[in-house]
Amino acid sequence: MPNDPAASPPDSGELLAAAKALQPHAAILGELGRLFADAGHELYLVGGSVRDALLQRPLTDLDFTTDARPREVQQVVRGWADGLWDTGIEFGTVGVGKGTDRLEITTFRADAYDRVTRNPEVQFGDHLSDDLLRRDFTANAMAVAITPSGLGEFHDPLGGLAAIRHRVLDTPSAPEVSFGDDPLRMLRAARFVSQLGFGVAPRVREAMTRMAGELGRITVERVAAELDKLMLGADPVAGIDLMVQTGLGDVVLPEVGGMRMAIDEHHQHKDVYQHSLTVLRQAMDLEGPGGPDLVLRWAALLHDIGKPATRRHESDGGVSFHHHEVVGAKLTRKRMRALKYSNQMVDDVSALVYLHLRFHGYGDGKWTDSAVRRYVTDAGPLVERLHKLVRADCTTRDKRRAARLQANYDDLEHRIAELAAKEDLQRVRPDLDGNEIMRILDIPPGPQVGEAWKYLKELRLDRGPLEHDEAVAELRKWWNAKA
């Protein structure tokens, strides 16, 4: 992998390490290089694939660019590829499947933008340099020639390797031009801060701050996709904070930045915003080997967004946020619906926000078994996430208080486990089903059956499982009292 002489000289060890990272794909790279060379075309590994190889990050997809036009690309790989997709062909991209690898091969681009949407007027280019110049950040604007023997010349005309060394995001052209062409790139900057641990160049930060309002041109679906990638990154707190500090958050997540104005009731944090970022970090620490949990992370970030609207200054000089979990759940639902998240995602995150304070009524183990059952029943399949969210929400610097809260939650989890060993807490149902209710009361299907079912479920939550005869007696007693 020799260096392009126009680039800043790389350390030979950097290129050797990148080549080693690409070694598992050596066979495919060589085969593709031969196919394109035989057809008289250039082929380059480009963008995030080169960046991640240099950073020693796992490579999932391989991205290529070529002088061949899309139909020519299809002709070159047809017969070699296991599968072809043309969903992006109008933008010059051909999707290719080979074994377990997924490849995207895109014709050199030299697009023009209308500055109204983020959709370019697609123009195919004839030179690699033009294609690299139109990319979002210099760290994504490097390429490696793919030849029949594998990796060829390393091209870095815009200083991408230097950006990686300094862990900084900068744009190939002036950031005003880059972000004016495609405002989503500003949100991608925040996402890469989260994923890669990079900072942003001063001129990039300044342009993001001035141009934040341009994000309004972007569809909410694309915004939500970037936000999720940011939230699943290694440091979503850094990405969120960049959004808030530059004003991007005011456009896509105004409730998060709005928490900066609410003083936390424990007075242990600069504000509720900083508290929420701390909770997000602590929730991540509790995720375990299952990997990033998007629902938990969103709930941790948003759990206190109801505080600004419910803040009250009390006569004793304190501050209260009564029912902020109720308001917060409504705000969460409204924001996530506006971003067009799935109904399941909206329901799960808003439910966790609504339930996150429930534990604080537990005190020192004073809940009845009925209260424990209701806690588990109300959380349903979210109960494990609720455990983690509640634990993460403990950010007090008072070590004794923190230890007491964690001990109380240990006790609650122990009680849940004890009850679960006796009862199916995840599927609390009345001791009699609808058919039995109709037979015992001699009533037809209808609202009365539903009322009886609901009464028996409440009884089940209060008293636990009943013997069949006892459940029948309680049902008749309730029915007779209604007559």
PDB file of all heavy atoms in Angstrom, residues 179-190:
ATOM      1  N   PHE A 179     -21.825  21.889   4.523  1.00  0.00           N
ATOM      2  CA  PHE A 179     -23.082  21.786   5.256  1.00  0.00           C
ATOM      3  C   PHE A 179     -24.233  22.423   4.488  1.00  0.00           C
ATOM      4  O   PHE A 179     -25.391  22.035   4.651  1.00  0.00           O
ATOM      5  CB  PHE A 179     -22.946  22.435   6.637  1.00  0.00           C
ATOM      6  CG  PHE A 179     -21.909  21.780   7.508  1.00  0.00           C
ATOM      7  CD1 PHE A 179     -21.287  22.492   8.529  1.00  0.00           C
ATOM      8  CD2 PHE A 179     -21.545  20.450   7.314  1.00  0.00           C
ATOM      9  CE1 PHE A 179     -20.343  21.897   9.336  1.00  0.00           C
ATOM     10  CE2 PHE A 179     -20.587  19.845   8.118  1.00  0.00           C
ATOM     11  CZ  PHE A 179     -19.978  20.575   9.130  1.00  0.00           C
ATOM     12  N   GLY A 180     -23.930  23.423   3.672  1.00  0.00           N
ATOM     13  CA  GLY A 180     -24.972  23.989   2.827  1.00  0.00           C
ATOM     14  C   GLY A 180     -25.445  23.001   1.788  1.00  0.00           C
ATOM     15  O   GLY A 180     -26.633  22.935   1.463  1.00  0.00           O
ATOM     16  N   ASP A 181     -24.500  22.200   1.268  1.00  0.00           N
ATOM     17  CA  ASP A 181     -24.871  21.153   0.315  1.00  0.00           C
ATOM     18  C   ASP A 181     -25.750  20.097   0.982  1.00  0.00           C
ATOM     19  O   ASP A 181     -26.759  19.672   0.424  1.00  0.00           O
ATOM     20  CB  ASP A 181     -23.618  20.478  -0.249  1.00  0.00           C
ATOM     21  CG  ASP A 181     -22.890  21.335  -1.272  1.00  0.00           C
ATOM     22  OD1 ASP A 181     -23.491  22.319  -1.746  1.00  0.00           O
ATOM     23  OD2 ASP A 181     -21.729  21.016  -1.587  1.00  0.00           O
ATOM     24  N   ASP A 182     -25.336  19.664   2.178  1.00  0.00           N
ATOM     25  CA  ASP A 182     -26.056  18.596   2.874  1.00  0.00           C
ATOM     26  C   ASP A 182     -26.010  18.852   4.378  1.00  0.00           C
ATOM     27  O   ASP A 182     -25.045  18.484   5.049  1.00  0.00           O
ATOM     28  CB  ASP A 182     -25.425  17.240   2.547  1.00  0.00           C
ATOM     29  CG  ASP A 182     -26.183  16.083   3.177  1.00  0.00           C
ATOM     30  OD1 ASP A 182     -27.187  16.335   3.877  1.00  0.00           O
ATOM     31  OD2 ASP A 182     -25.776  14.920   2.975  1.00  0.00           O
ATOM     32  N   PRO A 183     -27.049  19.471   4.941  1.00  0.00           N
ATOM     33  CA  PRO A 183     -27.049  19.788   6.385  1.00  0.00           C
ATOM     34  C   PRO A 183     -26.964  18.559   7.279  1.00  0.00           C
ATOM     35  O   PRO A 183     -26.559  18.681   8.444  1.00  0.00           O
ATOM     36  CB  PRO A 183     -28.390  20.512   6.580  1.00  0.00           C
ATOM     37  CG  PRO A 183     -28.741  21.051   5.234  1.00  0.00           C
ATOM     38  CD  PRO A 183     -28.227  20.033   4.256  1.00  0.00           C
ATOM     39  N   LEU A 184     -27.336  17.389   6.765  1.00  0.00           N
ATOM     40  CA  LEU A 184     -27.249  16.191   7.598  1.00  0.00           C
ATOM     41  C   LEU A 184     -25.812  15.933   8.040  1.00  0.00           C
ATOM     42  O   LEU A 184     -25.582  15.279   9.054  1.00  0.00           O
ATOM     43  CB  LEU A 184     -27.786  14.976   6.840  1.00  0.00           C
ATOM     44  CG  LEU A 184     -27.951  13.694   7.660  1.00  0.00           C
ATOM     45  CD1 LEU A 184     -29.010  13.877   8.742  1.00  0.00           C
ATOM     46  CD2 LEU A 184     -28.304  12.506   6.771  1.00  0.00           C
ATOM     47  N   ARG A 185     -24.849  16.470   7.303  1.00  0.00           N
ATOM     48  CA  ARG A 185     -23.455  16.277   7.669  1.00  0.00           C
ATOM     49  C   ARG A 185     -23.143  16.860   9.043  1.00  0.00           C
ATOM     50  O   ARG A 185     -22.243  16.381   9.738  1.00  0.00           O
ATOM     51  CB  ARG A 185     -22.548  16.904   6.602  1.00  0.00           C
ATOM     52  CG  ARG A 185     -22.554  16.125   5.287  1.00  0.00           C
ATOM     53  CD  ARG A 185     -21.840  16.873   4.179  1.00  0.00           C
ATOM     54  NE  ARG A 185     -21.741  16.045   2.970  1.00  0.00           N
ATOM     55  CZ  ARG A 185     -21.356  16.494   1.784  1.00  0.00           C
ATOM     56  NH1 ARG A 185     -21.047  17.787   1.642  1.00  0.00           N
ATOM     57  NH2 ARG A 185     -21.285  15.676   0.749  1.00  0.00           N
ATOM     58  N   MET A 186     -23.866  17.881   9.445  1.00  0.00           N
ATOM     59  CA  MET A 186     -23.658  18.434  10.792  1.00  0.00           C
ATOM     60  C   MET A 186     -24.046  17.409  11.850  1.00  0.00           C
ATOM     61  O   MET A 186     -23.355  17.260  12.872  1.00  0.00           O
ATOM     62  CB  MET A 186     -24.465  19.717  10.958  1.00  0.00           C
ATOM     63  CG  MET A 186     -23.999  20.856  10.081  1.00  0.00           C
ATOM     64  SD  MET A 186     -24.871  22.414  10.417  1.00  0.00           S
ATOM     65  CE  MET A 186     -26.480  22.081   9.651  1.00  0.00           C
ATOM     66  N   LEU A 187     -25.134  16.718  11.627  1.00  0.00           N
ATOM     67  CA  LEU A 187     -25.557  15.689  12.568  1.00  0.00           C
ATOM     68  C   LEU A 187     -24.620  14.491  12.499  1.00  0.00           C
ATOM     69  O   LEU A 187     -24.357  13.829  13.503  1.00  0.00           O
ATOM     70  CB  LEU A 187     -26.997  15.270  12.265  1.00  0.00           C
ATOM     71  CG  LEU A 187     -27.781  14.610  13.395  1.00  0.00           C
ATOM     72  CD1 LEU A 187     -27.746  15.448  14.657  1.00  0.00           C
ATOM     73  CD2 LEU A 187     -29.218  14.367  12.960  1.00  0.00           C
ATOM     74  N   ARG A 188     -24.095  14.208  11.302  1.00  0.00           N
ATOM     75  CA  ARG A 188     -23.111  13.135  11.161  1.00  0.00           C
ATOM     76  C   ARG A 188     -21.842  13.471  11.955  1.00  0.00           C
ATOM     77  O   ARG A 188     -21.194  12.575  12.500  1.00  0.00           O
ATOM     78  CB  ARG A 188     -22.768  12.918   9.685  1.00  0.00           C
ATOM     79  CG  ARG A 188     -23.858  12.176   8.920  1.00  0.00           C
ATOM     80  CD  ARG A 188     -23.613  12.229   7.421  1.00  0.00           C
ATOM     81  NE  ARG A 188     -22.368  11.587   7.027  1.00  0.00           N
ATOM     82  CZ  ARG A 188     -22.222  10.285   6.811  1.00  0.00           C
ATOM     83  NH1 ARG A 188     -23.242   9.474   6.988  1.00  0.00           N
ATOM     84  NH2 ARG A 188     -21.056   9.795   6.437  1.00  0.00           N
ATOM     85  N   ALA A 189     -21.501  14.758  12.032  1.00  0.00           N
ATOM     86  CA  ALA A 189     -20.340  15.144  12.842  1.00  0.00           C
ATOM     87  C   ALA A 189     -20.551  14.738  14.296  1.00  0.00           C
ATOM     88  O   ALA A 189     -19.667  14.165  14.943  1.00  0.00           O
ATOM     89  CB  ALA A 189     -20.099  16.646  12.733  1.00  0.00           C
ATOM     90  N   ALA A 190     -21.743  15.019  14.831  1.00  0.00           N
ATOM     91  CA  ALA A 190     -22.047  14.631  16.211  1.00  0.00           C
ATOM     92  C   ALA A 190     -22.032  13.114  16.359  1.00  0.00           C
ATOM     93  O   ALA A 190     -21.572  12.576  17.375  1.00  0.00           O
ATOM     94  CB  ALA A 190     -23.407  15.193  16.623  1.00  0.00           C
TER      95      ALA A 190
END
